Amino acid sequence: KSFREYAHFFIPGVLAGEKGGKKMFEIGEYIIYGNTGVCRVEEVAARPVPGTKTERLYYTLEPVYDKGCRLFTPVDNQKVKMRPVLTAKEADELIKRIREIDILWVKDEKNREQIYKDAIRTCDCEDLIKIIKTLYLRKKARLKAGKKVTSSDAKYLHLAEESLYGELSVVMGIPKNEMEAFIYDKVKED
C-alpha cells in the first residue's frame, strides 16, 4: 500500500489524497511553490517534527530551475502558496487573453513596490502578466523621457518574467529562454 493510504494514521483529518479539504499533490506532479516557482514533487513522507515526538507529513520538492536543490515543506503549509501548475489548455487560454488583462494601477507612488510584492506573492499568472505589462509600459515611458529604469522596476519585472515564463515553459514544453518570443508571436497573431 502507498503511504497516502496510511496518511490518516499520522495526521488526523487526512483522507487518501486530501489534507484539510485540499487535494494533496502527487509524486511526480509539478507545482508552484511560492517564489521558488515550479517544483516537482519527489516524495510525500512522514518526518519527525523537531523538538517533539510526533511526525508530520512533508513534501520533498525539487525546484525545476535550481538543480541540486531540495526543499522540504509540510503538506499543510499555510505560509507559502502552493498550487498545481496550469494545464496546457489553461496556459494557452491565458496567452490568448493577454491583451485583455489590465495593467496594475498604482495611485500612490510610495506604495508601488508593495503593490508589486503583493502581486508577486499571489503566484497567480494573471497578476504576473499585469506586472509585466505595467513595467514594460513604465520602462518604455521612462526611456522615452530620457530617464533610467528604476532598480525596483527592473527587479520586479525580472521576478514576474521568471515566474511566468518558468511555469509556462514546463507546461507547454518550450524552453524558458524562448517563452517571451513565443508569447509575443502568439499575441501578435490574435
Side-chain angles (χ1 to χ4, degrees):
K1 288 189 173 189
S2 72
F3 180 79
R4 193 168 300 249
E5 294 174 83
Y6 294 108
H8 63 282
F9 291 114
F10 295 98
I11 302 175
V14 173
L15 301 174
E18 294 193 12
K19 170 70 181 116
K22 287 173 51 176
K23 177 189 173 295
M24 282 181 53
F25 301 114
E26 303 285 332
I27 293 171
E29 186 174 358
Y30 288 96
I31 68 168
I32 298 298
Y33 179 71
N35 290 337
T36 301
V38 184
C39 293
R40 185 174 187 275
V41 178
E42 295 294 322
E43 183 180 41
V44 181
R47 298 195 181 279
V49 176
T52 71
K53 293 182 180 181
T54 61
E55 289 189 327
R56 194 169 176 191
L57 203 55
Y58 277 78
Y59 291 122
T60 301
L61 305 175
E62 186 174 299
V64 170
Y65 300 107
D66 191 2
K67 295 294 180 199
C69 178
R70 286 199 107 128
L71 304 171
F72 302 93
T73 186
V75 167
D76 60 350
N77 186 339
Q78 299 295 312
K79 294 179 182 176
V80 178
K81 174 86 172 175
M82 288 189 283
R83 66 167 177 81
V85 295
L86 299 176
T87 64
K89 182 180 179 192
E90 290 168 333
D92 192 50
E93 289 170 2
L94 178 73
I95 291 170
K96 287 178 182 173
R97 291 186 309 106
I98 283 179
R99 285 183 190 246
E100 302 164 18
I101 297 172
D102 208 356
I103 63 171
L104 288 174
W105 295 100
V106 180
K107 294 177 182 157
D108 183 358
E109 284 298 315
K110 292 178 186 174
N111 294 332
R112 180 173 292 280
E113 188 169 357
Q114 189 60 48
I115 290 168
Y116 296 159
K117 277 183 190 176
D118 293 345
I120 293 277
R121 280 191 195 118
T122 68
C123 299
D124 180 88
C125 290
E126 198 165 309
D127 286 344
L128 297 172
I129 290 170
K130 287 178 182 181
I131 292 171
I132 293 167
K133 286 177 75 170
T134 301
L135 292 174
Y136 173 78
L137 292 172
R138 187 167 152 84
K139 177 181 178 179
K140 193 174 169 181
R142 288 185 68 85
L143 292 174
K144 188 176 180 179
K147 297 179 181 179
K148 290 182 179 180
V149 177
T150 68
S151 61
S152 174
D153 284 2
K155 172 185 170 183
Y156 287 102
L157 178 59
H158 177 75
L159 286 172
E161 287 176 334
E162 285 293 305
S163 296
L164 180 67
Y165 302 159
E167 180 171 359
L168 295 178
S169 172
V170 167
V171 171
M172 301 180 93
I174 297 167
K176 185 166 84 166
N177 63 344
E178 296 174 17
M179 188 52 65
E180 183 176 9
F182 173 81
I183 292 170
Y184 179 79
D185 289 343
K186 286 292 232 182
V187 170
K188 199 169 75 173
E189 287 174 10
D190 291 339

